Amino acid sequence: MAVPLVSEGATVVAVGYELCPDVSMDEIVKEVKQAMYYILKLAKEQGCSGIYLCGHSAGAHLAALMLMTSFSEYDAFDSDLIKGAILVSGIYDLRPLVKTSVNEALHLTEEDAWLFSPVHFMHDIKQHSSDRDILIAVGEYDPPEFRRQSGEFQKNLRDLGIRTRYLDIPDTDHFNVIEKLQQKSYILTKNVHTVRIVMCICYGQSPKSAKVGTGRPNREVANIASH
């Protein structure tokens, strides 16, 4: 999926992370923060004008959490290089997952789920991302819960005065909404093409999909609204 972006002059950095239940959610967030520090450091050393975060599904959740992070614990590193985010088919409130089988790997309590939910930190996101551009994208055939959360998250951002857009992509589901990013003519690719800077892409993967090497999210995550 990086090829069309690189061909347009963007530098793509794909961030991986360990998965539950091998590690906790807290450890995953720490890993992504550490990766962001490395990318920020590299971008500054190379004179990059800025970074956009791009995440899909679980990756969108993690990228959203980075929008509320100052990275001050990393040698007071300046996070102003983060210019915005492209969040695709994300989940921004983890509480609906607690009573599903997905939580067999996550091991989240209701309290844990709330503490790792971006919607719990809207004012922190405003504090650190008031000058950033945030695109919330969702597939036409994404499950209802993903569509609901995407719409509400974008509304919350807008109500806080954050520059944000909502992109409802026709004829796409939870999976091909991001897979089509490899196509130059795809509407989301065209939106990303406007970003001629370093990008961090966090991929959402399930333990099962990662072990077999498919790189596809667990389809049960896409069906949380039915539980």
Side-chain angles (χ1 to χ4, degrees), residues 1-221:
M1 289 184 286
V3 174
L5 308 182
V6 173
S7 68
E8 292 293 326
T11 299
V12 178
V13 182
V15 174
Y17 50 88
E18 294 183 86
L19 301 168
C20 299
D22 295 335
V23 297
S24 67
M25 181 67 70
D26 184 58
E27 182 59 34
I28 289 174
V29 174
K30 288 179 180 177
E31 288 180 8
V32 176
K33 283 184 179 180
Q34 183 63 40
M36 282 306 308
Y37 166 72
Y38 172 80
I39 294 167
L40 286 165
K41 183 174 182 291
L42 180 66
K44 188 172 183 179
E45 290 174 351
Q46 296 189 355
C48 177
S49 59
I51 297 169
Y52 270 70
L53 311 182
C54 179
H56 167 252
S57 195
H61 161 254
L62 292 169
L65 287 177
M66 296 304 103
L67 294 175
M68 54 161 280
T69 304
S70 68
F71 298 97
S72 59
E73 64 267 40
Y74 296 111
D75 301 323
F77 202 86
D78 187 0
S79 59
D80 287 346
L81 277 172
I82 302 175
K83 302 301 182 182
I86 300 166
L87 309 179
V88 184
S89 299
I91 181 165
Y92 309 104
D93 183 348
L94 301 188
R95 290 174 295 179
L97 292 176
V98 173
K99 295 182 180 180
T100 72
S101 59
V102 173
N103 201 34
E104 293 175 6
L106 299 178
H107 301 302
L108 294 175
T109 65
E110 286 279 351
E111 182 180 7
D112 292 334
W114 186 231
L115 289 175
F116 286 107
S117 294
V119 294
H120 182 55
F121 299 99
M122 294 307 302
H123 288 284
D124 295 280
I125 292 175
K126 176 178 173 59
Q127 178 183 351
H128 297 294
S129 297
S130 59
D131 294 326
R132 294 169 178 163
D133 297 300
I134 302 175
L135 172 64
I136 306 295
V138 67
E140 178 183 5
Y141 302 119
D142 250 312
E145 182 67 10
F146 282 87
R147 290 182 58 83
R148 182 189 70 81
Q149 288 203 21
S150 294
E152 289 188 2
F153 189 60
Q154 194 268 341
K155 180 181 182 299
N156 289 338
L157 292 170
R158 187 183 67 236
D159 290 347
L160 288 172
I162 297 173
R163 293 193 301 271
T164 179
R165 290 184 295 140
Y166 185 79
L167 185 61
D168 194 340
I169 304 177
D171 198 30
T172 55
D173 59 30
H174 188 71
F175 303 98
N176 64 17
V177 69
I178 195 69
E179 291 169 349
K180 287 186 175 183
L181 199 60
Q182 61 188 305
Q183 302 172 8
K184 283 190 174 183
S185 60
Y186 181 45
I187 185 172
L188 187 57
T189 311
K190 291 180 178 179
N191 274 269
V192 176
H193 276 177
T194 64
V195 181
R196 306 298 292 272
I197 54 181
V198 175
M199 296 184 61
C200 167
I201 301 184
C202 302
Y203 290 97
Q205 295 179 321
S206 70
K208 290 182 180 178
S209 67
K211 288 176 181 177
V212 300
T214 64
R216 294 176 64 90
N218 187 336
R219 288 187 179 271
E220 187 167 5
V221 175

